[in-house]
Amino acid sequence: MSIDHLPTAVSAEAPFLELLARDADAEAYEQPLQLARAEGVSEDRLAGLERAKLLALRVRAELEGRRRREAELSALFETAHDLAGLRDLDEVLQAIVHRARSLLGTDIAYLSLNDPTAGDTYMRVTEGSVSARFQQVRLGMGEGLGGLVAQTARPYVTEDYFRDERFRHTRSIDTAVEDEGLVAILGVPLLLGTEVIGVLFAADRRARVFEREQIALVRSFAALAAAAIDSANLLAETRTALADLEHASDIIRDRSGVIERASDVHDRLAQLVLRGGGVQDVAAAVSEVLDGTVEFRESADAPAAALEWSRADGHAVPHGDDWIAAVAAGGELLGALVMRGHPALDPVDQRTLERAAMVTSLLLLARRSAGEAERRVRGELLDDLLDGRDHDPRLLRERAARLDADLDSPHVVLAAHPGSGTTAGDREGESRGRLWAAASHLAATRHGLAAERNGGTVLLLPVEEAGTAAELAQEAAKCLSASAREPVTVGASGPVQAPAADPEAVSAGYAEARRCVDALRLLGRAGQGAAAEDFGFLGLLLSDGRDISGFVRRTIGDLVAYDERRGTDLVRTLDAYFASGMSPARTKDCLHVHVNTVAQRLERIAHLLGEDWQTPSRTLEIQLALRLHRLGSAAER
């Protein structure tokens, strides 16, 4: 059977499945279409190939995204796995420095350890260094940025080392730093409890601002380095005890078994994280290994005094019959691991609980970083659409596909503003922050985009075939108000048919959506959602499309349709009624009918338009719709 006689779906998808199987470049997916055009196949066949190509590219983008996320998680948690199977301290410390440099994207990373005998700090591991002088430098306590960190047990950041006067500059240290060409340096202490044993650094050869999350991440790596050193010291002490105390062999075997059990739990935790496990999965694994009940709790749900004690001390602490291990990163409390009903806990099991808390903090930080990165990418794409910075539809589609968004389907632009817009100071910042978080979540779950703009947020969400812009605005207002814990006013544009092909329509839609927000506030409807079609004749002023026929249809469409079906004259009767000053007697003279006929027609009109049709606001809209209908009918004739 030739390929032309194969079922359309199978023959269309086959070449793209082969391309997916061999992980071909994105450009290769155009070749089946080019070949088909050269062979002169039918338009239906070409359309089928085009659909198959788009589907295959979406699958390829999804596979690439998953591979990238797996690589990022693997890089972050391989350190925990190395620590669990600690054999060579230098290799573990080298891996920690390498991964810290890789994740922060700095030019160099290095680790120094304190020398209690000499009373100074010396370089232990470097990554990216090119200067031999720098690799051999020693810092006295309080000298240079590293000496200050080692002395104060606090992290320090300098954007420009040689202009920073917070620490004591010495000729030897400044010369080494100058040889290496360093400018911006971040240093965090390696802590065992409250004791500083060294410093972990990340540095750039250019001015740079280290963000809070990056500092927290380096502090977590510093905690892992300290734990690795502590574990190595523990192993060294065990080996010494084996050599010096042969009579304690039974005790050593027992201790070795406990250490192996601790190593096993770290292996299991690392595998759990790499497989995409969550915080509750980590708690369940530790519960099984420690033969108890371990659960993760939010900071507000854990015993406050014990949680603060554990965070400050860096260890799990007893609390009645329970043990509390703070889950923290960079001084920020993220929660707690609570081991219930286990008052007696040996030191190694205590250390296992503490390291489980450390892995949990890394997991939470990684999830947060991934979420923030995705929100930033969604915002950048929407900003480009609004500002018209990228008019290449192909590139816009590719960027959207990586976010699981389809910019070739109809979308609605939504402008969302919190409260009344009069809140000032810190409260305004908190309000905008909550709205941004809620809008980002809504965009991610609805396969759309969100960005911060003009004191509020703007969203680009797909609209279902049977849905309307007004319904989407109302739904978004309800959802965002609940998440932001305050009224959120949402205005919607008319549908934008293909944002990737027409970015200017997105910008125009945002302007229309903002006008709707302003109209809602002026009408005292803050906290609601609406589109231009919800404002009656005001919608003609708010909408860029000036949908006159839509306004007429919404206002008197039932009357026009009734006349067309029944051959009646309700529209002309209503027009005469308004022209006669809303007097039935003068209306019957104008129409040359009996007054009872006028009354019957007005009753039918009330049934079709609603009992409030004679209120001032409705009569204004109806009279405008009648005039526009009359003008439209005259133009058609």
Side-chain angles (χ1 to χ4, degrees):
M1 180 182 294
S2 68
I3 191 170
D4 290 331
H5 293 85
L6 287 173
T8 302
V10 174
S11 60
E13 295 171 359
F16 298 107
L17 290 174
E18 181 182 353
L19 291 171
L20 285 171
R22 58 187 175 88
D23 198 20
D25 292 335
E27 291 77 7
Y29 287 75
E30 289 294 336
Q31 294 176 359
L33 277 169
Q34 294 171 355
L35 181 60
R37 292 190 184 100
E39 293 175 353
V41 300
S42 66
E43 290 297 324
D44 289 344
R45 168 70 173 163
L46 286 174
L49 284 170
E50 181 67 24
R51 289 191 297 271
K53 182 198 77 173
L54 294 177
L55 180 59
L57 286 173
R58 289 182 60 185
V59 171
R60 180 180 182 275
E62 178 66 19
L63 290 174
E64 285 185 350
R66 293 190 179 186
R67 283 196 294 268
R68 184 173 60 256
R69 288 191 290 272
E70 288 173 0
E72 292 170 351
L73 281 175
S74 176
L76 189 60
F77 292 108
E78 277 177 359
T79 302
H81 181 77
D82 290 346
L83 181 57
L86 177 66
R87 294 296 179 268
D88 187 295
L89 178 60
D90 286 334
E91 291 179 2
V92 174
L93 295 180
Q94 187 68 53
I96 289 173
V97 169
H98 170 74
R99 289 164 189 156
R101 178 192 178 202
S102 175
L103 286 175
L104 268 69
T106 56
D107 296 325
I108 179 174
Y110 50 102
L111 183 147
S112 67
L113 293 180
N114 291 358
D115 186 343
T117 303
D120 60 8
T121 298
Y122 65 98
M123 201 73 71
R124 177 64 182 270
V125 179
T126 64
E127 171 84 19
S129 172
V130 297
S131 167
R133 186 197 302 268
F134 182 81
Q135 295 166 17
Q136 298 171 8
V137 71
R138 298 183 74 98
L139 295 77
M141 289 299 179
E143 294 179 354
L145 184 140
L148 184 60
V149 173
Q151 184 181 54
T152 62
R154 294 174 54 191
Y156 277 86
V157 180
T158 178
E159 299 177 20
D160 191 333
Y161 176 89
F162 291 100
R163 295 185 180 181
D164 200 327
E165 300 298 331
R166 292 177 299 168
F167 45 83
R168 182 155 54 94
H169 290 264
T170 67
R171 180 167 185 159
S172 60
I173 298 173
D174 286 359
T175 301
V177 172
E178 186 176 13
D179 282 355
E180 194 61 54
L182 300 183
V183 177
I185 305 176
L186 160 64
V188 298
L190 275 62
L191 293 170
L192 284 180
T194 57
E195 179 186 2
V196 180
I197 64 171
V199 180
L200 178 62
F201 299 86
D204 259 342
R205 296 185 175 93
R206 62 187 184 283
R208 170 177 177 166
V209 176
F210 289 95
E211 299 177 354
R212 182 182 303 173
E213 291 79 7
Q214 295 174 322
I215 298 174
L217 189 60
V218 175
R219 292 192 71 167
S220 297
F221 273 107
L224 279 174
I229 295 169
D230 186 38
S231 296
N233 292 337
L234 183 61
L235 289 173
E237 291 171 4
T238 303
R239 295 188 184 100
T240 302
L242 283 169
D244 296 342
L245 304 172
E246 293 182 1
H247 66 279
S249 58
D250 291 339
I251 298 175
I252 297 300
R253 279 195 296 270
D254 291 341
R255 187 173 181 82
S256 177
V258 174
I259 293 174
E260 288 180 5
R261 184 155 60 92
S263 178
D264 175 64
V265 72
H266 291 309
D267 284 340
R268 295 179 61 178
L269 290 177
Q271 291 300 322
L272 260 177
V273 172
L274 293 176
R275 289 199 305 266
V279 172
Q280 301 304 331
D281 297 319
V282 173
V286 178
S287 298
E288 183 179 345
V289 172
L290 297 184
D291 193 23
T293 301
V294 178
E295 60 185 29
F296 174 79
R297 292 185 185 175
E298 300 290 343
S299 300
D301 299 329
L307 183 59
E308 180 58 30
W309 179 17
S310 174
R311 184 197 66 78
D313 188 53
H315 294 289
V317 299
H319 179 73
D321 290 341
D322 303 336
W323 282 81
I324 310 296
V327 176
E332 179 186 359
L333 275 174
L334 304 174
L337 285 185
V338 180
M339 186 168 189
R340 299 173 54 192
H342 215 304
L345 199 64
D346 66 55
V348 177
D349 284 348
Q350 179 182 344
R351 187 66 54 81
T352 297
L353 182 62
E354 292 165 1
R355 289 176 181 169
M358 185 185 305
V359 171
T360 301
S361 69
L362 286 173
L363 177 62
L364 292 174
L365 280 177
R367 297 277 169 85
R368 178 193 292 178
S369 297
E372 290 174 351
E374 181 175 342
R375 287 196 295 271
R376 184 169 60 253
V377 172
R378 289 182 186 275
E380 290 172 352
L381 176 54
L382 183 50
D383 281 335
D384 287 349
L385 284 169
L386 291 170
D387 298 335
R389 284 194 290 263
D390 189 350
H391 291 289
D392 188 337
R394 182 181 62 82
L395 293 178
L396 292 173
R397 292 187 186 100
E398 289 178 359
R399 293 170 64 187
R402 288 193 288 268
L403 298 170
D404 197 21
D406 178 12
L407 294 186
D408 287 319
S409 64
H411 283 62
V412 168
V413 184
L414 302 173
H417 284 259
S420 61
T422 59
T423 306
D426 295 338
R427 290 181 57 195
E428 181 182 10
E430 294 174 2
S431 174
R432 292 179 179 176
R434 289 195 302 269
L435 175 57
W436 168 234
S440 298
H441 178 72
L442 180 61
T445 55
R446 292 293 297 268
H447 307 291
L449 306 175
E452 290 185 293
R453 185 163 286 222
N454 297 321
T457 62
V458 53
L459 298 98
L460 184 66
L461 298 182
V463 60
E464 297 178 359
E465 186 175 346
T468 65
E471 292 171 347
L472 190 57
Q474 293 162 11
E475 179 186 349
K478 182 178 179 181
C479 176
L480 295 177
S481 296
S483 299
R485 303 192 300 278
E486 65 173 315
V488 175
T489 309
V490 178
S493 73
V496 179
Q497 295 303 319
D502 190 9
E504 292 183 359
V506 178
S507 179
Y510 176 53
E512 179 180 332
R514 288 191 63 193
R515 289 195 293 271
C516 289
V517 170
D518 294 339
L520 285 170
R521 286 177 168 176
L522 288 172
L523 295 173
R525 294 171 58 187
Q528 299 182 25
E533 63 191 56
D534 293 320
F535 292 96
F537 74 92
L538 287 176
L540 295 177
L541 305 176
L542 298 173
S543 172
D544 279 336
R546 302 291 188 267
D547 185 13
I548 295 176
S549 61
F551 168 71
V552 173
R553 184 176 61 256
R554 290 190 297 272
T555 308
I556 61 171
D558 291 342
L559 237 59
V560 174
Y562 189 89
D563 280 350
E564 291 175 351
R565 290 196 311 269
R566 304 287 183 95
T568 54
D569 216 3
L570 297 183
V571 172
R572 194 166 72 92
T573 300
L574 186 57
D575 209 355
Y577 180 68
F578 284 126
S580 302
M582 301 176 71
S583 167
R586 289 195 292 271
T587 302
K588 61 97 176 172
D589 293 337
C590 180
L591 297 174
H592 305 291
V593 297
H594 195 276
V595 70
N596 290 341
T597 301
V598 173
Q600 291 171 0
R601 292 181 180 179
L602 292 177
E603 183 178 350
R604 173 56 60 183
I605 288 170
H607 176 74
L608 293 171
L609 297 184
E611 295 299 331
D612 65 339
W613 73 279
Q614 296 194 70
T615 60
S617 60
R618 287 294 308 280
T619 58
L620 178 60
E621 290 187 2
I622 293 169
Q623 288 182 70
L624 178 58
L626 286 170
R627 177 164 296 187
L628 292 173
H629 175 66
R630 189 164 58 248
L631 291 173
S633 299
E636 291 177 1
R637 290 196 295 268

